[in-house]
Amino acid sequence: GNSVTQMEGPVTLSEEAFLTINCTYTATGYPSLFWYVQYPGEGLQLLLKATKADDKGSNKGFEATYRKETTSFHLEKGSVQVSDSAVYFCALSETGGGNKLTFGTGTQLKVEL
Amino acid sequence: NAGVTQTPKFQVLKTGQSMTLQCAQDMNHNSMYWYRQDPGMGLRLIYYSASEGTTDKGEVPNGYNVSRLNKREFSLRLESAAPSQTSVYFCASSEVPIRSEQFFGPGTRLTVL
């Protein structure tokens, strides 16, 4: 079946540092890939997505590129802020019916001054 | 627009008690989902409803039932709560077609003693 593997956290960075959160996936078809963000006490929000190989999703300074050859969708940001502190989830959607999402376990990011 | 709303926000049950978690969306979405979030396990799909009038099991359906009351509302019922069902429950909705974003509610934190 489908699965998503993320790097374990927490990841602690200083403000303005470069961020990479690794995500790899296993899927039988051609999934869409997503990064969701969860701020403390809230539900998940879509951060960015990519629907086919070599697509780059971007939003709020975050980027991720759909790499079919390495089955990866790593999240990057050039300069993090304290306000980026949250839990980040990588996810894929099946190509079959229902638009079901398979999530990774989440990576907590803490950004300090 | 309220988006996806969930009630209650918090609930404490005793083992064996029953309860229903309510979810409603005002975005005219066809598909709705129930997930549970547990530490170190990401989000796991309990049940989903691809369209009004249909429901299907997800990854962890045991101990739960659902009702798609109408296009707006999708409820999750615990008939006889167990401590293993202590979790944070999220409802989500999405449009069809496939690969579209899912919108999440704020969650219900359930504790079963």
Side-chain angles (χ1 to χ4, degrees):
Chain A
N2 298 334
S3 66
V4 175
T5 302
Q6 288 181 240
M7 60 188 290
E8 289 191 20
V11 173
T12 303
L13 296 174
S14 299
E15 201 170 43
E16 299 184 0
F18 185 86
L19 168 71
T20 300
I21 301 178
N22 290 337
C23 172
T24 57
Y25 68 90
T26 302
T28 52
Y30 300 94
S32 290
L33 301 173
F34 304 83
W35 277 101
Y36 280 82
V37 59
Q38 184 180 32
Y39 298 102
E42 298 184 9
L44 279 70
Q45 305 172 25
L46 180 68
L47 182 59
L48 53 85
K49 70 177 183 180
T51 58
K52 61 183 187 296
D54 299 325
D55 268 2
K56 177 184 283 188
S58 61
N59 186 25
K60 300 181 181 179
F62 291 88
E63 293 182 341
T65 301
Y66 188 164
R67 300 288 189 197
K68 187 169 181 290
E69 63 276 13
T70 55
T71 62
S72 63
F73 193 55
H74 304 321
L75 182 68
E76 297 181 336
K77 186 175 186 183
S79 176
V80 294
Q81 306 299 312
V82 171
S83 58
D84 293 326
S85 298
V87 180
Y88 293 81
F89 291 91
C90 185
L92 66 82
S93 70
E94 300 179 4
T95 52
N99 195 30
K100 293 179 288 185
L101 286 173
T102 299
F103 285 89
T105 54
T107 302
Q108 183 176 13
L109 171 65
K110 298 179 180 179
V111 181
E112 301 172 336
L113 290 171
Chain B
N1 281 352
V4 179
T5 56
Q6 293 183 235
T7 55
K9 290 188 176 181
F10 301 94
Q11 184 70 50
V12 178
L13 293 177
K14 295 180 180 178
T15 297
Q17 288 185 317
S18 63
M19 79 160 296
T20 300
L21 281 64
Q22 306 287 353
C23 173
Q25 52 91 9
D26 63 1
M27 295 172 283
N28 201 35
H29 286 168
N30 286 295
S31 301
M32 298 186 74
Y33 312 82
W34 276 106
Y35 294 90
R36 61 178 288 172
Q37 183 180 27
D38 301 294
M41 302 192 73
L43 277 78
R44 293 179 293 170
L45 183 65
I46 305 171
Y47 270 93
Y48 68 101
S49 172
S51 61
E52 187 179 356
T54 68
T55 60
D56 286 286
K57 295 178 180 179
E59 182 183 355
V60 289
N62 290 345
Y64 305 95
N65 285 300
V66 290
S67 296
R68 184 73 184 267
L69 304 170
N70 48 56
K71 192 172 185 179
R72 289 187 64 248
E73 299 172 288
F74 188 40
S75 63
L76 178 72
R77 183 160 178 84
L78 286 71
E79 291 291 352
S80 179
S84 60
Q85 294 178 304
T86 294
S87 188
V88 181
Y89 292 85
F90 289 99
C91 178
S93 69
S94 73
E95 296 178 356
V96 177
I98 305 297
R99 306 173 188 271
S100 63
E101 173 185 358
Q102 290 189 17
F103 293 81
F104 284 79
T108 295
R109 185 172 295 274
L110 175 66
T111 301
V112 182
L113 302 176

